[in-house]
Amino acid sequence: MRLLLVEDSVGLADELMAGLQRQGYAVDWLADGRDAARQGCCEPYDLMILDLGLPGKPGLEVLREWRAQGLSTPVLVLTARASWAERIEGLKAGADDYLCKPFHPVELQLRIQALLRRAHGLASRPQLEVGGLQLDEARQVVRCGAEDIELTAAEFRLLRYLMLHPGQLLSKGQLAEHLYDGETERDSNVIEVHINRLRGKLGRTAIETRRGQGYRFSGVR
């Protein structure tokens, strides 16, 4: 999953990026509201984390611009201000969730997971559970029946994205756009390698190939 982090505090941004990358997210970081307003609308992010106190353009104005342009990507707002009036303004502007600073990194991670499940119609369960598999995002393992299957970091990222889009046909290009940040070179052949490794662990029928089109997550049978 590819995230946009908009935060002008370099120290906090570095800390958040390191934690999110350990959780298997590809993260792009911006510190200026004007850059965020532009890039948020032209890159295929799965979720955006937006600080309100930004240079260049206030976070609330950025959020309003995103929503005015029809952007439906989930937005988690960060703020150092605990004012209820500001939280109401943010929610009215289109924020999906709010987190007041200071916060524990685990709370941020759990809120992100919940927002992503909700965005894909999977909010009824506390963990990502699709197609006979249950993904433990904290341990980065997948449970199949009574068995825990170990995953590499790359396999975990790929399987999480597939499980959030069950039954959908996803091209290599789409997968690359959401599994890598904007600075990483994207190699579609590497995705094919990881698909094959996942099939070796989950069974050949778990991920269907449509030649020349892409892949579809079918789950285990």
Side-chain angles (χ1 to χ4, degrees), residues 154-186:
E155 291 165 356
F156 168 76
R157 291 195 301 271
L158 178 56
L159 182 59
R160 175 168 57 188
Y161 194 77
L162 291 169
M163 289 178 68
L164 282 167
H165 299 81
Q168 296 183 34
L169 189 60
L170 302 169
S171 69
K172 287 182 182 179
Q174 284 177 281
L175 292 171
E177 282 184 336
H178 291 270
L179 295 175
Y180 301 110
D181 61 46
E183 302 299 319
T184 302
E185 185 177 350
R186 300 168 188 180

Side-chain angles (χ1 to χ4, degrees), residues 189-208:
N189 292 325
V190 173
I191 290 176
E192 187 171 349
V193 169
H194 294 312
I195 289 281
N196 287 329
R197 288 177 178 169
L198 282 174
R199 285 184 178 135
K201 294 182 177 184
L202 305 176
R204 301 297 301 175
T205 61
I207 304 169
E208 173 191 354

Side-chain angles (χ1 to χ4, degrees), residues 16-193:
L16 294 178
M17 285 184 68
L20 291 169
Q21 287 165 350
R22 283 194 297 271
Q23 289 293 309
Y25 297 106
V27 187
D28 292 339
W29 169 51
L30 296 173
D32 188 279
R34 291 164 298 191
D35 296 334
R38 288 191 298 269
Q39 188 161 318
C41 288
C42 64
E43 293 290 334
Y45 293 110
D46 297 290
L47 181 141
M48 299 189 283
I49 303 166
L50 177 68
D51 183 39
L52 293 186
L54 297 171
K57 184 174 289 190
L60 271 180
E61 190 174 334
V62 173
L63 179 56
R64 290 190 184 103
E65 287 188 19
W66 284 343
R67 295 311 191 211
Q69 293 182 53
L71 193 71
S72 59
T73 305
V75 176
L76 172 60
V77 166
L78 304 180
T79 180
R81 310 162 199 159
S83 163
W84 63 267
E86 185 180 67
R87 290 199 295 275
I88 288 174
E89 283 303 306
L91 293 169
K92 283 182 177 179
D96 294 276
D97 200 357
Y98 242 91
L99 195 53
C100 291
K101 302 174 184 176
F103 52 83
H104 196 284
V106 173
E107 182 179 4
L108 174 64
Q109 292 162 13
L110 292 174
R111 286 178 182 270
I112 288 171
Q113 291 170 17
L115 283 173
L116 290 171
R117 290 196 304 272
R118 186 195 308 168
H120 293 88
L122 301 168
S124 61
R125 294 184 175 90
Q127 286 188 318
L128 184 54
E129 188 173 346
V130 181
L133 299 176
Q134 185 180 76
L135 195 66
D136 186 329
E137 298 189 60
R139 296 167 55 216
Q140 298 194 5
V141 300
V142 64
R143 170 158 288 196
C144 181
E147 180 186 5
D148 282 348
I149 300 170
E150 298 288 335
L151 302 171
T152 66
E155 291 165 356
F156 168 76
R157 291 195 301 271
L158 178 56
L159 182 59
R160 175 168 57 188
Y161 194 77
L162 291 169
M163 289 178 68
L164 282 167
H165 299 81
Q168 296 183 34
L169 189 60
L170 302 169
S171 69
K172 287 182 182 179
Q174 284 177 281
L175 292 171
E177 282 184 336
H178 291 270
L179 295 175
Y180 301 110
D181 61 46
E183 302 299 319
T184 302
E185 185 177 350
R186 300 168 188 180
D187 186 345
S188 60
N189 292 325
V190 173
I191 290 176
E192 187 171 349
V193 169

